[in-house]
DNA sequence: CCATATTTACCGAACGTTCGGTAATTTGAT
DNA sequence: ATCAAATTACCGAACGTTCGGTAAATATGG
């Protein structure tokens, strides 16, 4: 059986975007020939991207959204979630699929997946912020703001090749999000 | 003669990314045949992107950086700059070349241009923040933070197709940046 | 008429995808 | 446990299309 490891494919999409990610790159990344990819993904490139998105979704539910909903203290929950985020983005060295897959005409194919991902993430941050003492409305504002800062930090640190920008934003999250 | 209008090319790059922007798309956008582009841009696709970046740079220097350095009040300066930003990004409906051109392997070609653009922008916001009463160090922090929030808002509002996210961030800029 | 601008026609390479076929593995009946 | 049958995994070669780019021919304006 040996279900294929999706993270090399994820890396290609995150680094190249959807259009920029060629099947040759993907095949080389997973150690298969181009044709063999169609055994694992009969739906072709689009199915590969969808599989990667599902994989990312699972990671986020387990390592970010899950911790944010636990019954520990808001501060502890947020610390765990931040760790999950930091690891996922490799300290800001890896781009975000939300960013990268929302470009060009292929974006339409993934909008539903991406919207759901953003919603789950924002909701979870809203919960931990509210639990720390903020009103529901304020908590939602702060959660949205946090998502924006994370995405912005990823763009800026990538375009300047300075990953400390991302690290700094992550470290400041508790102060921004919690009462 | 009639020097070519670069904004259609800019739009293609911003919507599709560098890899995703094909010469066919660009040719159609400017109303020329593919081959004719090589009369205007002997350097090919890369020269087109560089020309667009130079065009963007000029816009920013005139409509964003310039106003931020004027001798009006910091609040008035910032308002003018925000207008320049809002128009440039069409209320968040258009992506940022800084984001889009820092993806994939072609990113290396544009890193110098992009770094300079970011530096000029950040410096200008630092000036207006310092002039409003903040210390140099704090002003620089806030300027960097503002750039991050703008870039993040562009990503989020694009991926959710909700341009109000971007508008809200722009409107909140004076409160964040000025003392 | 001349030069510049634009076009048509074309190139090799890479694209995503399909297909026929071959190892390798799993299954099922003995 | 054995061995043929069936299934799974993978590959090489080729498909038609589009890519970025070039050369030769035509159109346009001074």
């Amino acid at each position: 059986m040996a279900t294929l490891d999706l993270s090399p494919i994820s890396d290609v999409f995150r680094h190249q975007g959807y259009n920029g990610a060629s099947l040759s790159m993907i095949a080389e990344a997973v150690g298969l020939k181009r044709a063999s990819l169609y055994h694992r993904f009969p739906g072709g490139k689009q199915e590969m991207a969808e599989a990667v998105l599902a994989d990312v979704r699972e990671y986020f539910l387990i390592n970010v959204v899950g911790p944010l909903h636990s019954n520990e203290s808001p501060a502890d929950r947020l610390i765990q979630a931040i760790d999950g985020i930091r690891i996922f983005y490799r300290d800001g060295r890896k781009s975000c699929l939300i960013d990268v897959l929302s470009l060009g005409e292929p974006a339409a194919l993934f909008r539903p997946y991406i919207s759901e991902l953003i919603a789950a993430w924002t909701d979870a941050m809203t919960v931990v912020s509210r639990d720390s003492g903020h009103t529901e409305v304020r908590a939602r504002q702060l959660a949205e703001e946090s998502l924006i800062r994370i995405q912005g930090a990823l763009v800026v640190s990538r375009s300047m090749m300075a990953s400390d920008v991302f690290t700094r934003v992550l470290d400041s999250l508790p102060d921004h999000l919690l009462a």
Side-chain angles (χ1 to χ4, degrees), chain A:
Chain A
M1 193 94 59
T3 156
L4 199 59
D5 177 20
L6 294 177
S7 61
I9 306 184
S10 175
D11 286 350
V12 175
F13 278 119
R14 286 165 75 172
H15 188 249
Q16 305 286 343
Y18 186 80
N19 285 317
S22 74
L23 293 207
S24 301
M25 293 178 190
I26 296 174
E28 193 189 352
V30 301
L32 287 178
K33 297 299 177 180
R34 256 190 351 272
S36 308
L37 290 173
Y38 284 83
H39 174 67
R40 313 290 193 130
F41 308 98
K45 193 178 181 182
Q46 179 176 343
E47 186 178 336
M48 299 177 208
E50 285 167 354
V52 162
L53 271 175
D55 203 46
V56 166
R57 178 178 180 276
E58 195 194 352
Y59 178 92
F60 261 76
L61 289 186
I62 293 178
N63 297 96
V64 180
V65 172
L68 287 175
H69 281 95
S70 82
N71 41 22
E72 307 175 36
S73 78
D76 286 346
R77 284 190 257 165
L78 186 51
I79 284 178
Q80 290 178 43
I82 290 175
D83 265 348
I85 295 170
R86 193 193 325 271
I87 291 169
F88 182 76
Y89 292 110
R90 296 289 149 78
D91 300 297
R93 286 186 299 272
K94 292 220 193 271
S95 306
C96 182
L97 286 171
I98 291 176
D99 179 5
V100 133
L101 292 184
S102 64
L103 279 176
E105 142 239 330
L109 304 174
F110 310 114
R111 189 108 47 205
Y113 301 83
I114 288 177
S115 293
E116 197 229 306
L117 229 159
I118 290 183
W121 189 358
T122 309
D123 288 348
M125 287 198 293
T126 302
V127 166
V128 79
S129 180
R130 195 230 296 126
D131 287 355
S132 81
H134 283 298
T135 70
E136 175 76 28
V137 171
R138 180 76 182 127
R140 173 139 249 119
Q141 279 177 358
L142 292 171
E144 204 176 83
E145 175 83 9
S146 296
L147 177 64
I148 288 172
R149 295 177 71 241
I150 290 170
Q151 293 299 327
L154 284 170
V155 171
V156 173
S157 56
R158 178 179 76 225
S159 62
M160 305 202 337
M161 301 216 305
S163 66
D164 63 296
V165 174
F166 180 69
T167 300
R168 214 153 44 227
V169 163
L170 276 199
D171 290 342
S172 74
L173 264 194
D175 278 348
H176 275 80
L177 202 51
L178 305 182

